[in-house]
Amino acid sequence: MKTLAKFLTAAALSTALLAGPALAAGKVKNAKDIAFSFEGPFGTFDRAQLQRGFQVYQEVCSACHSTDLLSYRNLGDHGGPEFPEAQVKAVAAEVEVQDGPNGDGEMFDRPGRPSDKFKAPFSNDNEARASNDGALPPDLSLITKAREGFHYPWYVSPFIKMWTGNGGPEYVHAVLTGYTDPPEKEADHAPEGKSYNAYFAAGPWISMAPPLTEDGVEYSDGTKASVDQMAKDVSAFLAWAGEPKMEERKTMGLRVMIYLLILAILMYLIKLKLWRDVEH
Amino acid sequence: MSGHSTYEPKNPLAKWFDKQLPILSMSYDFMVFPTPKNLNYLWTFGGILSMCLVIQLVTGIVLAMHYTPHVDMAFSSVEHIMRDVNYGWLLRYIHATGGSMFFIAVFVHILRGMYYGSYKAPREILWILGVIILLLMMMTAFMGYVLPWGQMSFWGAKVITSLFSAIPFVGDWVVTLLWGGFSVDNPTLNRFFSLHYLMPFVIVGAVALHIWALHIPGSNNPTGVSVKSGQDTVPFHPYITMKDGFAAIVFLVLFAFFVFYKPNYLGHSINYEIADPLKTPEHIVPEWYFLPFYAILRAIPDKLGGVLAMAGAIVILFFLPWLDTSRVRSAKYRPIFRQFFWLFVIDVVILGFVGANPPEGWWITVGQFATAYYFAHFLLIIPLVGLIENPKPLPASISESVLANHPKGEPAAQPAE
Ligand code: HEM
């Protein structure tokens, strides 16, 4: 153990190999599994859910988080929330976008268009930090792919995850709904301005105050806007934001699989016929 | 390639052409190449590997048309491919999954060679070329993984390139050369992209030599007994082409399963977060196919020692033909070696799990034992077993062993698969 420690100090980088997991591993709680409509080989996104999720994103999260990889036009894309074109235009037009320079060399503001990227709430990371007590609200474009909600012991993890996936959307849902009072021994040294959240990957203290409150948004389809419902909807929306071609992929996958299986059977029969007369 | 071709072009134009550049007769010889008739499905992985190489080349070249090797744009250019390029998601998922599929196939291929003694005379050069291909593949895959410039791309590159600093005297100089500066940064990404584009073509060259070397002695076979007469063989086409074709399609089913249904299962989630030199991820782990070697690296409590052990784990394969003292090729006739073969496979799997877990507690001990066993397999077990083992009697020929499997009169059964 001592020599190992020496090795690690010698290779300054390798420190991360040992120190990292000791800090965080085992402490993060497993996210609650949710039966999302987009799971499994035939799962598709629930359009109404994506539309509700976008509403939550737009009205709540976008005040702090950017989603740089989405453009407004994506909201109308096939396999996504599939908002009607007029609505996509209207959503885009709500923001002011800086464009230019014009013929006089001046930058100017204009209403957004569907081809514009989602407008970020802050113009740079430093501004974002300054407005959030020094913490950076991460870009949410890929959050459901970059984070894992499920942590299992090493001897089952590779097998279980083959079926459950990494639980990225569950992670987002768990962070949004997982605020609790800290356990007593932690409560004494609670950092200023932070909340206790046992699901947060870099936690358990998080600089995001609980963003969702009961009936925080008003759904137009009459769904009750409970915290849990909003968290599910926005997690589904972010799952789509991370993997916008998922439906196309699964549809093509089914065709490819059927094609390959038929071809495999035919090839096997050819091979069988060919080798029938050879002792082997 | 050996001896004179029996091919005589009939068409005068073909005759004229073939006389000056005998590509036609070479292709013909290739197609009729006598191949043992008792090959099992483990022999289809050579064809599968060639297919993997072509898939990586084609998808890679198209990806490179849309990818930008710059630290500020690499990550978003990959996402641009995933979102805005027509079927870009398909290309990228095929290429990323293809790296793993390539390694699955190459591991089966290598273990096949170890089991049936394909590395022994007269195939040592063929085997050595194979190990060179493995090394080239590892370098290519390592540099490819850096290109999307996610967290694991960056930190994996940093940890692995830093290892070179352990080389005495020139270590720091080598690291600076690899990085193109004093940290992993834009010059590093640029040179890795350039080399990642180049290396697959070097692999193509090595594969050509590998296949050339194969066509001198011909394929080994499950009995390990050399071909004695035309009775023992079938022409490569159509017998082997159709069988390889069938196996390749079954392999593609597995490939497609990952591409379409589990495209990110074989990667790391954290690589979907853009590289941040100021934020070290919790666990830095390489791709699954490097894990056993990573475990060997960490098993030695000394940086230089670890690097040497990791390199040695591959270099030792070069010497395998001379470490093996048994004159019998196939493990089928080697009752003791056969059991040690499977112990070796289990050992490598254990090393894989060790590599995937943080070096804490009993993982360290397990890793050290498994590493010791890995080397003992080559340096002690293989030489000794060859000396003390009493091999089973070998069949006189391939035909005889085939007949022993299903006596005359009965229809030929399928080979054990
Ligand atoms: C021996 C064959 C090859 C292997 C094993 C290989 C392996 C890999 C791997 C593991 C990645 C990272 C995938 C990811 O997580 O995104 C990658 C990325 C990449 N490779 Fe290759 N590759 C090969 C051939 C090629 C060739 C011939 C090209 C053509 C120039 C190429 C171009 C690229 C590009 C542009 C990327 C970055 C895009 C991306 O990350 O998807 N590769 N490669």
Side-chain angles (χ1 to χ4, degrees), chain A residues 49 52-53 56 219 228-238:
Chain A
Q49 182 169 46
R52 291 195 303 270
V56 177
Y219 283 140
D228 183 63
Q229 184 64 42
M230 287 186 287
K232 276 182 185 151
D233 293 346
V234 77
S235 304
F237 171 76
L238 292 173

Side-chain angles (χ1 to χ4, degrees), chain B residues 56-57 60-61 92 95-96 102 140 144-145 147-148 196-197 200 203:
Chain B
Q56 291 306 94
L57 280 163
I61 289 171
R92 177 177 182 241
H95 196 79
F102 209 150
T140 308
Y145 195 64
L147 303 185
H196 184 71
Y197 206 135
I203 297 182

